[in-house]
Amino acid sequence: MQRRGFVTDVKKQKRSRFSLCVLLLAALLVFSLVKLEQKIRPVARVMAEYECKERAVRWMQSAVADCLRDTPELLEDLYLLQYDSAGRVQSAEADASRLAQLQYMLESDLTRSMEEGAADFSVPLGTLLGLQLFSGRGPDIDVKVIPLSHVETRVETSFTSAGVNQTKLQTDLVFSVQLCAVLAGMQVETTAESTICVSQLLIVGQTPQFYVEGAA
């Protein structure tokens, strides 16, 4: 009876030691994961912000290109030109109503498609870690892009020399939107901005005066 009791005590001690080892290993694993997350999270935030901004810019450029390709009439008659008696361009003025219509259509189209999730994307876990060795590797992490504001645009025009007695008139639309990227329990806010040329006009002769009036 005494020997049986001794054997039972030994087994209990072994089980206790085993359980203690398991608890220590589990605690060590949890501690290591916490420290790893603390080290990786700042890098992941920077990478997520970069990826979100880059993907959003490419999405805006592609969406605008598709919209202008499907509705080329939006680019018609953007300028009002006046000529002198010799047929040279004397003044070039932006048609404010046509330009405002172009802005409104593009802003509305981009905002609507973004709210429908068109800008969402996936990124490999290795890329988010910011380590070159693991870049592009690992399972894909879904990133949901939530717009924090409507897509806004502003007009930028420029005159540049295009050769002897030639001037290039260019009109750009600068698109800007505030975004929030949500992934793996983390939220990252950023602003994406993209400049897209919507019109170019080559003027031969003396550089005319150019006005943009009433454009939003």
Side-chain angles (χ1 to χ4, degrees):
M1 293 293 295
Q2 292 180 353
R3 181 174 179 79
R4 181 178 297 176
F6 175 76
V7 172
T8 301
D9 291 341
V10 171
K11 288 182 177 179
K12 288 182 178 179
Q13 290 178 1
K14 288 183 177 180
R15 283 198 296 267
S16 297
R17 290 175 182 174
F18 178 76
S19 299
L20 181 60
C21 289
V22 171
L23 289 175
L24 289 175
L25 288 175
L28 180 61
L29 178 61
V30 171
F31 177 78
S32 300
L33 291 176
V34 171
K35 296 299 289 184
L36 180 63
E37 182 183 10
Q38 291 176 347
K39 183 178 180 180
I40 289 177
R41 181 170 285 267
V43 178
R45 289 184 65 87
V46 173
M47 293 303 299
E49 180 180 359
Y50 170 79
E51 288 290 333
C52 179
K53 184 180 298 185
E54 183 184 37
R55 302 295 180 98
V57 167
R58 287 191 299 187
W59 167 78
M60 283 192 289
Q61 293 174 342
S62 177
V64 170
D66 291 341
C67 181
L68 295 181
R69 184 186 64 243
D70 296 338
T71 54
E73 62 273 12
L74 291 175
L75 298 178
E76 295 177 357
D77 302 324
L78 287 182
Y79 301 119
L80 301 175
L81 304 180
Q82 293 184 356
Y83 300 88
D84 60 15
S85 58
R88 294 171 298 190
V89 176
Q90 190 174 29
S91 67
E93 182 179 357
D95 188 323
S97 61
R98 295 289 298 175
L99 193 56
Q101 181 185 12
L102 174 63
Q103 287 181 261
Y104 175 77
M105 291 294 294
L106 292 177
E107 285 179 5
S108 300
D109 185 69
L110 290 178
T111 299
R112 181 177 60 255
S113 59
M114 179 169 287
E115 290 176 346
E116 293 173 352
D120 295 350
F121 64 94
S122 298
V123 60
L125 177 60
T127 300
L128 284 179
L129 298 181
L131 301 176
Q132 187 64 32
L133 179 63
F134 300 108
S135 180
R137 302 175 183 272
D140 287 341
I141 304 298
D142 292 331
V143 181
K144 183 173 181 58
V145 179
I146 301 175
L148 301 178
S149 67
H150 292 293
V151 178
E152 298 179 350
T153 62
R154 68 177 186 270
V155 179
E156 292 184 352
T157 58
S158 62
F159 278 112
T160 57
S161 175
V164 179
N165 210 30
Q166 293 183 342
T167 304
K168 181 178 69 174
L169 170 61
Q170 180 169 315
T171 300
D172 297 328
L173 289 183
V174 182
F175 296 87
S176 178
V177 61
Q178 294 181 340
L179 305 169
C180 178
V182 181
L183 70 161
M186 181 170 57
Q187 297 184 2
V188 182
E189 295 184 10
T190 186
T191 299
E193 186 173 283
S194 178
T195 301
I196 300 175
C197 174
V198 294
S199 181
Q200 288 184 338
L201 179 66
L202 184 63
I203 300 174
V204 179
Q206 185 178 0
T207 302
Q209 296 191 12
F210 180 75
Y211 305 91
V212 178
E213 297 178 348

